[in-house]
Amino acid sequence: MAARQGFPLILCAPSGAGKSTLVKKLCAEFPLAFSISCTTRAPREGEIDGVHYHFLTKEAFEQKIQNNEFAEWAVVHGNYYGTPLKPVTEQLAQGKDILFDIDIQGAKQLSLSLPGAKFVFIFPPSLEILKERLVNRGTDSMEVIERRLKNATGEIEQSHWFDAWIVNDDLDKAYDELRAFYLSCTLEPRLCTQILKSVLGK
Ligand code: 5GP
């Protein structure tokens, strides 16, 4: 039977809600393409250019904005972040599902430009726990953490339009819910028109 069509799956969450772990688990289990963003923030320890992000200077990023090379872009926590358009177009044309890990400003832009995209918002159990996780992660200064917490409240308050809400108070449970949502999206008739041809033999 011919493969079904692909779709964009967008995951949004405040920093520290556990989104990266959920992204890794979903990409490990299913053959999803991952959209590698561009950013002007400095790489963290262990992050590889071209794998986790494309790390760019401010000037290089602004040049790409001028050239319309982004599907969306935004300033997040004081740095530029953006989704390169070309790989998204190419992978969708190849029938692949694409997973995006982007902030809510970028998600809103994609909701207007990527028809059929699905949007999942991951909540931390509480703002106190979110702060604890960011401090324990040890990758950001207290100033950066405070800025991220302030942004978290704003993001949570704007999450009403998403297709699915998942609270990450237990990683296994949150992953089961994400997995279930992803699988249900893959069953949408508009992505699976080949089933009719195959069943009816036409
Ligand atoms: P971090 O610096 O912790 O990797 O990411 C900070 C925030 O930027 C996260 O919420 C992440 O989802 C978001 N982000 C990562 N890539 C992009 C992107 O291409 N576009 C937008 N709008 N946000 C992004």
Side-chain angles (χ1 to χ4, degrees):
M1 189 182 290
R4 64 169 171 80
Q5 288 176 46
F7 70 96
L9 179 65
I10 287 104
L11 256 58
C12 266
S15 301
K19 181 177 43 168
S20 314
T21 313
L22 291 168
V23 164
K24 260 188 228 144
K25 279 172 86 76
L26 199 67
C27 285
E29 183 171 357
F30 299 100
L32 284 148
F34 179 69
S35 167
I36 304 170
S37 298
C38 295
T39 183
T40 56
R41 87 146 160 75
R44 297 192 184 118
E45 208 182 311
E47 283 184 333
I48 301 164
D49 187 36
V51 175
H52 299 95
Y53 280 105
H54 301 289
F55 294 100
L56 301 181
T57 61
K58 193 164 170 265
E59 292 68 34
F61 196 103
E62 286 172 346
Q63 188 59 56
K64 284 184 185 290
I65 296 175
Q66 292 299 319
N67 298 345
N68 291 320
E69 289 182 42
F70 291 119
E72 61 73 34
W73 66 270
V75 175
V76 187
H77 313 313
N79 281 299
Y80 280 125
Y81 290 81
T83 302
L85 177 60
K86 199 163 161 239
V88 174
T89 319
E90 285 172 358
Q91 285 160 340
L92 282 178
Q94 290 163 15
K96 286 190 183 151
D97 300 330
I98 312 179
L99 189 57
F100 297 73
D101 171 347
I102 62 174
D103 92 313
I104 198 157
Q105 306 171 72
K108 266 189 210 145
Q109 294 174 51
L110 292 189
S111 72
L112 302 173
S113 63
L114 278 185
K118 298 290 177 183
F119 295 86
V120 180
F121 196 89
I122 318 275
F123 292 86
S126 70
L127 287 179
E128 290 75 40
I129 293 176
L130 187 66
K131 183 170 185 177
E132 222 174 271
R133 286 183 188 167
L134 288 175
V135 171
N136 292 341
R137 190 160 82 174
T139 51
D140 299 302
S141 66
M142 236 13 239
E143 189 198 334
V144 170
I145 291 176
E146 289 302 338
R147 194 183 325 150
R148 287 182 176 230
L149 281 172
K150 198 164 150 249
N151 291 350
T153 311
E155 288 186 332
I156 289 168
E157 282 169 355
Q158 292 175 56
S159 60
H160 54 89
W161 58 272
F162 279 69
D163 298 306
W165 281 2
I166 294 176
V167 179
N168 187 9
D169 48 2
D170 173 283
L171 183 63
D172 288 339
K173 183 175 138 284
Y175 181 65
D176 281 349
E177 290 175 356
L178 176 61
R179 189 179 187 280
F181 179 73
Y182 167 67
L183 285 174
S184 75
C185 293
T186 68
L187 305 178
E188 275 196 18
R190 74 182 171 84
L191 300 176
C192 308
T193 48
Q194 84 288 354
I195 290 181
L196 280 188
K197 284 192 198 119
S198 144
V199 172
L200 297 175
K202 297 187 195 169

